[in-house]
Every structure is written in C-alpha cells, then in structure tokens.
Amino acid sequence: MKLIYQLMISFFAVILTVIFIVGGTVLNYYSNYVYSSTYDQLTGYGQNAERLVARTSSDGHYQINAETIRNIETVFKNQKVNFAIYSAATNQTNGNLRVYPAPNENAMRPVPLHLTKAYWQTLKKSEYIRDVSSTGKLLRMDQMPTGAQPEAYVVVPWFYENKMIAAVVVSARIADINSNINQIESNMFVALIISLVLALILAYLLARYQVSRVNQVRHAAHEVADGNFDIDLPSKHRDEIDDLASDFNIMAKSLQDSQNEIERQEERRKEFMANAAHEMRTPLTTINGLLEGLAYDAIPEESKGKSIELMRGETKRLIRLVNENLDYEKIRTGQIRLSEREFDAMEPLHNIVTQLTQKAAEAKDKLILEGTAPVQVYADYDRFVQIIFNVIQNAIQFTQNGQITIKAERGFHEAAFTISDTGIGMTPDQVRNIWDRYYKADPSRKNTKYGESGLGLSIVHSLVKQHGGDIKVHSQLHEGTTFKITFPDSTEPKEEKPKLEK
C-alpha cells in the first residue's frame, strides 16, 4: 500500500475517532441535560401547585382545592403536563387516597393508581422521586389505559406543620422529551456525515502534503545517485522530516566535498604522473645516451670519468624520486615505527646547515642558525633530520638572493623550531594546499633538482603529526614564508638515576 493511503487511513481514523468521541459525549450530555431539565421543571410545577391549591379550612384542617388543580392542568395542557394528588391518609380499602383526579374519573392518561410503601417512606424523608412509568421501580403502574404512553414522573411531598399531608405526581410524556433528543440526534447525524466528508478531504490533503515532503527527499536521493551533489532541501526544523532534510543536505555537501577532493587529488595525481614521467625521462635519456657512447667508444677517454659521475647523479635522482613516494605511502598507512628518544637538537641542525650550505650558495642564499645548546627535543632522530632537512630545502628552492633563518628554542613542555625565508612567499590559497600530495606552489620550478615530486611537505606534515606535534605556516606573497614546528615532550615519567651512597 502506498504511503499516501497509509497516511490517509491514519489521519482519517484519528479524526473519525475524535468525531465519534466528541459526538457521543455531546449527545449523552444533551440527553441527560434534557431529562434533568424536564425533571427540574416538573419539580417546580409540583412545588408551585401546593401554594395554589392547598389551604387551611376554618376548623384548621388542610384542604386541597380540586377545581384549582384542574385549572392549572388546563393551563399546562398544551405542554402535555399531568397532575395527580395523593393524600397521605391511609384507607383500609384502597390504600393511599387519591385526591385528584377522583378515583372514579376515567382519564385517558396514565395515572398511577397505587404508590408503594417504599415510595411513601422515601417521600417522608422530604426527598423527591424521579422515575419513568415503565421502569416499575418505585412508582408502580397497575394499569395503563389503551393508547397511553410512558411518562416521566416527579413526586413532590407536601408538608403541613412538619407532617406530610399529601404528594403530587407531575408527569410528562417521554415521547415529547425524546422528540427533542431525536431532533438533536438527527442534526448530529447530518453533522457527522458532513464531518466524515471533510475529514476524508482533510486526511487526503495532510497525507498528500507529508508524502510530497518525503518525495522531495526521494527525488534528491535520485539526484545524488546520478552524481548531482548540488542539493539544498528546504528545512524549517519543525519535525523529523525537516531534520531528515537537514541531514540529507549535510550528507550531500559532504559528498560534494569528497567529490571535489577526489577530483582535486586526481588532478594532482595526473600532474604528478606528468612530472614524474618528465623527471624520469630526463635522467633516463641522459643515462641511456652516455651508456651508448661508452658502448661504442664515442666518448673520449678523458671524459669517461665525468660521464660515469653524471650517470651516478642521475641514478641518485631517480632513487630519490622513488624513495619519496615509498616513504609517503609508509607514513600515510602508519607502517613506519618511530624510535623516539630525547636528544640535543642543535647537533643535527648544525649538520643539516653544513650539508645545505653549498645548495644555498648556488641560489645565492644565506643560512643562519640561531639557538644556544642544548635544545632538548623528544623525537625520532632520523625522522627529525628528514623533517627539518625538507623544510629548509623547500625554503632554498623558493628563495633567491635571500636569507633563511633556522631558530631552535624550548617552549612549555615542547621544543619549537622556526624556519623563515625571504623568498617568493605564497597566497592564502596556496598555503591551504601545500600539505596536499603532489601539490607545488610554483609549478614553474618543477624541474629544479630540489623538489621534483611535490611530496616533501606532505611527508613533513605526516611525520610531524605522527610525532604528536604541530606545524604551522605563515606566508605573504613576495615577502617570505615562516614554518613553525613543535615537538611535545615525552609524557612518560623519566627514570631517576640511582644515587650513590656516600
């Protein structure tokens, strides 16, 4: 079954239940109200009748004026209200004496001919009795004239000098009472039919609205499946469907970012493959040409030594290119284990500066090392050298006729190393991408012998993170770049050297 029909049935069932509950409650309340109002009205008639028809004779006896009660009954004839008055005096033959109508009067109306003993006991307590002639509980009907209908009765006791003298029975036909209730039921039935039609329409509209919202997410899912990640579903955060739309937007944005990253990395890979092919082709061509020259004795004897040295240099260049890729993959996949220990960083820094001084001189750069020994650092010695070496070499590559400053110092539970240059600098966009694999801030320098692969800074970044350290870069275009690398101290407690007993 489709969702729209499921929702329609759900909404319709809820609305229908509410209608029946409210309708039944209102009808029951109105029925009780009609009967209660009728009983209250009949009670009022019985109380007022005593003041009109009862009087005290000259000898002090309590008398009832039957003529007056007839007049009263005539007035209420249109309302179909009947009266019957019983004397509380006991008659051995007929039981309680009926004063009005007379016992021999043949009225075509339901008139109680006998009041039960329990009935009188209740009246003596000044309590009113409300009943229906057909129930046979307290008010018993010995006979009903032909064609007579059941009536609702109220029996009101009359007292004189704190003594019950008589009781009046005021009655009205139930059919007249029920006619009002039936009219209400008829009106409510019409209202129910109209409500059901409106409920069906409302359930359809609500279901259609909810299904349309679900279909929006569904269509968006199809768009994403087709490769379109530029999706933005409307969401007002009102319910779970809006939350689903918000989550879907987040997912689509994440997929879009992932797709962009994949495309960017693919572009970097293609660029790297082109660079690697170019870098490999140049030394391989050189090596092949020299080997052919040696094989055919085309190279003079005095030049053979220089040719062999040139081939060794080109071979080392190829090995460096391959090793950088192997190192990056090992670092990225966590295959490299660090042998961290504490040592003075100034010694390897002096060695690095010594190794790179010649290269800096070729670029007309000046290397300056600042720091006073010892500067204790906790790191893998070989990887520490690799990190600093690559950053300084990168600075030399992008600096001409400038200065490169290496500063070592202790921080708060860490060792900090700052490498600043006065080179070409970078734009903010280039700074954001320098840690990416194969990225080169200045592609025009891809043929230099110090940065063939574009993996140097990627390796640096991965190694620093593996040490639990941090590397930050600040650069301004045409002004220079500064790298700051920090290595945290070991968190393991140091072993105290045993003290010699004196």
Side-chain angles (χ1 to χ4, degrees), residues 268 271-280 282-283 313-322 324-325 359 390 393-394 397-398 437-440 442-443 445-457:
R268 297 283 185 270
E271 182 180 346
F272 164 74
M273 294 301 294
N275 292 341
H278 176 79
E279 297 296 338
M280 289 181 180
T282 301
E314 295 298 324
T315 302
K316 289 179 180 179
R317 184 178 177 187
L318 290 173
I319 292 173
R320 185 169 62 251
L321 183 64
V322 173
E324 282 187 348
N325 278 277
K359 293 181 180 180
N390 279 348
Q393 185 172 256
N394 184 79
Q397 179 183 355
F398 293 100
R437 190 180 184 184
Y438 312 130
Y439 182 78
K440 288 187 178 183
D442 186 5
R445 300 195 176 200
K446 64 185 178 181
N447 294 326
T448 63
K449 59 182 179 180
Y450 303 131
E452 297 92 339
S453 64
L455 288 173
L457 291 181

Side-chain angles (χ1 to χ4, degrees), residues 89-106:
T90 302
N91 185 290
Q92 297 294 332
T93 303
N94 298 325
N96 298 108
L97 179 64
R98 191 179 73 205
V99 177
Y100 174 84
N104 58 356
E105 184 177 348
N106 185 18

Side-chain angles (χ1 to χ4, degrees), residues 72-131:
I72 294 173
E73 193 174 36
T74 301
V75 173
F76 289 102
K77 184 177 181 180
N78 292 333
Q79 299 184 20
K80 300 178 182 179
V81 176
N82 301 317
F83 289 85
I85 303 174
Y86 285 81
S87 173
T90 302
N91 185 290
Q92 297 294 332
T93 303
N94 298 325
N96 298 108
L97 179 64
R98 191 179 73 205
V99 177
Y100 174 84
N104 58 356
E105 184 177 348
N106 185 18
M108 290 300 294
R109 62 188 178 190
V111 179
L113 302 178
H114 181 75
L115 301 181
T116 64
K117 182 177 180 181
Y119 183 78
W120 284 102
Q121 292 296 328
T122 302
L123 292 174
K124 287 179 181 180
K125 298 177 184 178
S126 298
E127 296 179 2
Y128 300 154
I129 303 300
R130 297 178 174 185
D131 205 349

Side-chain angles (χ1 to χ4, degrees), residues 172-224:
R173 291 192 308 173
I174 292 179
D176 296 332
I177 300 174
N178 288 340
S179 63
N180 294 329
I181 297 176
N182 292 336
Q183 182 63 37
I184 294 297
E185 290 179 347
S186 177
N187 293 338
M188 289 197 66
F189 179 76
V190 175
L192 176 63
I193 297 300
I194 296 175
S195 299
L196 290 179
V197 174
L198 294 177
L200 188 61
I201 296 174
L202 180 61
Y204 173 76
L205 294 177
L206 289 174
R208 184 176 179 181
Y209 171 69
Q210 296 296 341
V211 170
S212 66
R213 298 172 66 195
V214 174
N215 283 336
Q216 282 184 334
V217 180
R218 182 175 167 224
H219 294 155
H222 289 166
E223 290 291 327
V224 171

Side-chain angles (χ1 to χ4, degrees), residues 326-357:
L326 292 176
D327 279 351
Y328 181 81
E329 288 302 322
K330 289 180 180 180
I331 295 169
R332 188 179 63 84
T333 57
Q335 296 180 18
I336 290 182
R337 291 186 177 273
L338 299 179
S339 299
E340 295 173 291
R341 61 185 178 89
E342 190 174 284
F343 57 89
D344 182 9
M346 294 305 295
E347 180 182 351
L349 288 178
H350 279 293
N351 294 336
I352 293 172
V353 170
T354 301
Q355 294 176 37
L356 293 176
T357 297

